Amino acid sequence: MEHETLANLVIDNKEDGLFRVHRQAFTNPDLLAFEQRRVFENTWIYAGHTSEIPQPGDFRARRVAGRPVILVRGTDGAVRVLLNTCTHRGAQVCREASGNANTFQCFYHAWTFNNQGDLIGVPGDDAYSEAFDRRDLGLGAPPRVEDYRGFVFISFNADIEPLVEYLAGAREYLDLICDQSEVGMEVVTGTQAYSMRANWKLLVENSMDGYHARTTHQRYFDYLVESGVDVSRMKTRRGGRGKALGNGHAVIQSEPVWGRPIARWSPEFGEAKRAELEQMQRDYEARFGAEWAYRITQTSRNLLIFPNLIINDIMAITIRTFFPVSPDYLEINAWALAPSDESPQDRALRLDHFLTFLGPGGYATPDDVEALESCQLGYLNREIEWNDLSRGMKRAEPEITDELQMRAFWRQWHTLMLRTQTAATPLRRPIAV
Amino acid sequence: MVATVSHITRSDVEDFLYEEAALLDEWRLREWLELTTEDATYEVPSTDVPDGNPQDTLFIIADNADRLRMRVDQLLGKSAWAENPPSRTRRMISNVRIRSVEGDTLCVTANFVVYRLRSGHIDTYIGRYEYTLVHRDGGLKIRHRKAILDLEALQPHGKVSIIL
């Protein structure tokens, strides 16, 4: 694609307060190769959570940024991300989705790697010359792997800034989530692996869209009303805000009408939980002070870590990451995140609240899938060229029903797509976090 | 129907499951709900942990009777956009087996393929059912219904917006 074509995909008219995205951004197949190089290989991409691999030898094999990788805790206790391809002739060395292993043996010719990626076994190794050195043939790895409070990210840009700097203003919002447990948060067993017949960037937008809540999710609000919630409160809550957090990250945060397991009571929880949740809030106040505790317990947040990690801390916490297979098809992995020291009863309640809204069988997410798939079908009308994302552009403090958070994403996306010089991506030996 | 559960045959159970499938395919969801007990549960585990427990494992669906009733109300209302307009579906039920009988309760398993046709796509849900059925007033009712998917992921299905 020509530079000029890319440049014209986004109109950011701050003077008039108009923001437009060309629908080619969602439909053009040539764009994917640019996105792969200029966006996905120039950023930090979420790979998993350290709680998914608690013991030495624990591993998860999954796709990250379109690549089969192994998230593994080595025998040395360190967490690594290994590229799941034999350095001999390419077969995947790990063909189970999860487990515990000291070694990964390629079934093709029995080359064997330890769980730190070193090549430790080559049948018939007397057949090789002196130039053949096992130390050059360990499993590959992304050049950078770092974690922030258990969230493991990889980057194919060897020179990218440290993760903690990259997170910029999003770090604070991750802290609001991670501070919910003194001991640490954990990913709950059970992956929601699903998809949408839509462009991945539509899901970025949808995941932090306050404007669609009452309409697209009417049936969820009907559930709240039937449970005794006063949804008219939505209009009078303390100021919800959409914010740009730097580097393309964004968030919407507000006092929700629904309850929060930590720690905001609401009728759908049942009267019996009220005292416990109020005490929980006081406990957080004692630990963190009133303001931080208020933010943790009384507000929901939909957080984007650019480019493709969404963490929604709403009526439960979901981690959602997704990747384009084609311009009109994306695949998603979603999990529930929870305090690791949560009681079994609280865990059960949390998962129940999760499913009232979230996930491909909930009362809400299926209607989001429907909405985005409908948009993608609408884009077949090529003559309608532009999406409008101007809501709140002239407001000093945009609200959650405005579109500032989407504009933050698009501005960063556009900046990266126009950057013609991308860093080299030499693969290195696996590094531990 | 027969008077006592020990005389319920596989053929009786198949008739029941075929009737259930017809009600669901015809979107006669209120009548379908009447096949469930007042304490019924309906579960669809996540694709990577088919034998999990919804108390400690993330599922796709884990409804108690109230939430199941709400689900039916939503699907028959206007605002379940994923099923408004409703999809065409066709359920194929086979390999029906009575696994155990205790008092008035039967444990039944079956295989399913459920086709969902919408917007030019055919999404095929493949899996097996585990039912707990109770014999009551000369007929069968569903106390527990679990649809365990064999799919590795809801790809390209994207959702389970029907009663699976």
Side-chain angles (χ1 to χ4, degrees):
Chain A
M1 278 182 97
E2 291 178 16
H3 187 86
E4 198 187 321
T5 312
L6 290 171
N8 291 337
L9 289 177
V10 177
I11 295 177
D12 186 358
N13 180 346
K14 293 183 170 77
E15 193 184 309
D16 295 333
L18 289 176
F19 195 94
R20 299 265 152 83
V21 172
H22 200 286
R23 291 179 176 184
Q24 283 279 308
F26 302 106
T27 59
N28 192 317
D30 298 333
L31 211 65
L32 269 189
F34 284 84
E35 284 183 327
Q36 181 63 22
R37 288 201 318 279
R38 297 185 181 182
V39 175
F40 291 107
E41 290 171 13
N42 259 328
T43 46
W44 285 101
I45 304 294
Y46 179 69
H49 196 270
T50 52
S51 64
E52 298 185 84
I53 42 166
Q55 302 301 328
D58 285 348
F59 68 85
R60 302 272 173 169
R62 60 175 59 136
R63 290 275 177 97
V64 176
R67 296 160 172 75
V69 305
I70 311 166
L71 174 70
V72 57
R73 189 178 295 272
T75 302
D76 61 352
V79 169
R80 292 177 179 80
V81 177
L82 305 176
L83 302 183
N84 193 3
T85 176
C86 188
T87 49
H88 178 215
R89 291 175 26 209
Q92 293 186 40
V93 302
C94 178
R95 298 182 311 121
E96 304 270 354
S98 65
N100 184 289
N102 290 327
T103 59
F104 298 110
Q105 182 171 83
C106 181
F107 80 93
Y108 194 9
H109 305 90
W111 279 33
T112 306
F113 304 84
N114 67 17
N115 61 24
Q116 292 166 199
D118 305 312
L119 177 59
I120 59 171
V122 174
D125 61 355
D126 55 331
Y128 295 95
S129 74
E130 308 253 315
F132 180 94
D133 187 341
R134 286 186 190 189
R135 290 169 300 179
D136 298 332
L137 289 165
L139 292 175
R144 302 283 295 281
V145 182
E146 290 177 19
D147 94 288
Y148 183 76
R149 301 189 73 174
F151 292 86
V152 179
F153 290 77
I154 63 174
S155 184
F156 287 94
N157 177 351
D159 302 317
I160 197 169
E161 62 195 318
L163 175 64
V164 72
E165 288 172 29
Y166 176 84
L167 290 173
R171 185 181 168 186
E172 178 187 333
Y173 291 86
L174 277 178
D175 287 339
L176 284 166
I177 292 165
C178 297
D179 282 351
Q180 290 177 29
S181 170
E182 281 190 85
V183 178
M185 303 295 278
E186 67 179 5
V187 168
V188 177
T189 305
T191 309
Q192 292 179 335
Y194 58 112
S195 60
M196 299 192 189
R197 292 176 170 115
N199 187 271
W200 70 280
K201 300 184 291 298
L202 289 176
L203 183 54
V204 174
E205 294 178 334
N206 168 263
S207 300
M208 38 175 196
D209 179 329
Y211 192 26
H212 80 300
R214 284 310 300 274
T215 46
T216 308
H217 299 315
Q218 195 177 317
R219 60 165 155 156
Y220 174 72
F221 287 92
D222 290 344
Y223 151 72
L224 289 181
V225 166
E226 191 175 328
S227 306
V229 175
D230 176 11
V231 298
S232 69
R233 277 197 293 138
M234 273 187 93
K235 299 251 164 58
T236 58
R237 293 165 299 163
R238 273 168 65 170
R241 291 281 174 262
K243 290 192 175 167
L245 302 174
N247 290 337
H249 315 316
V251 71
I252 53 171
Q253 182 174 271
S254 67
E255 265 185 44
V257 286
W258 51 75
R260 293 173 49 72
I262 293 176
R264 180 176 170 93
W265 186 83
S266 183
E268 73 274 22
F269 283 30
E271 194 60 44
K273 287 293 275 183
R274 191 201 281 257
E276 185 189 323
L277 286 168
E278 285 168 3
Q279 180 57 46
M280 205 186 269
Q281 187 186 357
R282 286 193 288 275
D283 293 342
Y284 281 94
E285 283 168 3
R287 267 175 70 198
F288 294 112
E291 183 58 29
W292 194 249
Y294 164 79
R295 292 182 66 192
I296 288 178
T297 61
Q298 302 308 309
T299 66
S300 282
R301 71 215 100 259
N302 295 38
L303 176 65
L304 166 70
I305 308 292
F306 187 94
N308 67 338
L309 173 64
I310 290 285
I311 304 171
N312 284 351
D313 176 10
I314 43 184
M315 69 292 295
I317 306 172
T318 190
I319 297 173
R320 175 188 300 165
T321 186
F322 40 93
F323 198 71
V325 174
S326 67
D328 60 355
Y329 185 65
L330 63 88
E331 289 180 343
I332 308 164
N333 279 328
W335 299 273
L337 189 71
S340 56
D341 54 342
E342 197 166 46
S343 73
Q345 300 91 318
D346 284 347
R347 176 64 56 90
L349 271 177
R350 167 188 293 276
L351 293 178
D352 187 62
H353 290 303
F354 187 109
L355 292 182
T356 59
F357 190 103
L358 294 164
Y363 290 167
T365 296
D367 300 321
D368 285 320
V369 183
E370 181 78 3
L372 302 187
E373 293 184 343
S374 186
C375 290
Q376 197 72 32
L377 286 173
Y379 297 157
L380 289 168
N381 280 307
R382 295 176 292 126
E383 289 70 25
I384 308 300
E385 295 185 80
W386 299 96
N387 277 354
D388 183 285
L389 288 159
S390 306
R391 280 189 74 83
M393 205 155 163
K394 290 288 214 175
R395 269 206 255 261
E397 291 192 315
E399 300 173 5
I400 67 168
T401 52
D402 290 329
E403 290 163 342
L404 167 72
Q405 55 275 18
M406 291 81 158
R407 295 191 288 272
F409 166 80
W410 283 107
R411 286 169 176 143
Q412 182 71 0
W413 179 88
H414 204 210
T415 297
L416 291 181
M417 288 294 277
L418 293 174
R419 208 174 271 172
T420 49
Q421 266 201 312
T422 52
T425 57
L427 295 185
R428 292 203 196 137
R429 293 306 326 287
I431 34 173
V433 294
Chain B
M1 284 308 291
V2 294
T4 61
V5 72
S6 57
H7 291 117
I8 290 185
T9 64
R10 186 185 69 217
S11 180
D12 295 328
V13 173
E14 284 173 331
D15 286 345
F16 177 77
L17 295 181
Y18 293 156
E19 175 67 15
E20 182 198 29
L23 292 176
L24 289 172
D25 283 335
E26 291 165 32
W27 287 88
R28 289 157 61 190
L29 300 184
R30 292 250 176 267
E31 292 171 66
W32 175 78
L33 202 57
E34 282 162 26
L35 298 182
T36 65
T37 63
E38 59 291 325
D39 60 345
T41 53
Y42 161 51
E43 290 170 4
V44 181
S46 286
T47 48
D48 64 340
V49 191
D51 55 354
N53 177 335
Q55 314 259 314
D56 59 27
T57 302
L58 184 63
F59 271 41
I60 296 170
I61 293 172
D63 285 350
N64 61 15
D66 257 342
R67 292 262 288 282
L68 182 55
R69 180 202 31 90
M70 283 190 232
R71 191 178 287 278
V72 167
D73 289 341
Q74 291 166 10
L75 290 173
L76 293 175
K78 291 270 183 263
S79 56
W81 307 112
E83 294 300 332
N84 178 7
S87 307
R88 295 185 185 186
T89 65
R90 186 58 55 197
R91 289 164 175 76
M92 311 300 287
I93 314 292
S94 71
N95 304 70
V96 178
R97 291 191 283 164
I98 300 173
R99 309 304 291 276
S100 67
V101 175
E102 195 177 311
D104 64 354
T105 302
L106 302 92
C107 290
V108 164
T109 59
N111 291 353
F112 69 80
V113 179
V114 176
Y115 299 98
R116 177 180 180 254
L117 302 98
R118 187 182 191 78
S119 303
H121 297 287
I122 304 175
D123 288 321
T124 309
Y125 297 86
I126 303 164
R128 59 191 169 88
Y129 289 124
E130 291 180 0
Y131 286 86
T132 302
L133 304 177
V134 291
H135 187 242
R136 197 183 275 184
D137 307 322
L140 290 172
K141 289 230 186 249
I142 300 165
R143 170 169 285 148
H144 175 65
R145 185 175 189 278
K146 190 188 293 195
I148 303 162
L149 290 162
D150 292 316
L151 304 173
E152 293 170 289
L154 287 169
Q155 293 166 356
H157 316 62
K159 57 185 102 66
V160 181
S161 50
I162 54 172
I163 308 272
L164 190 55

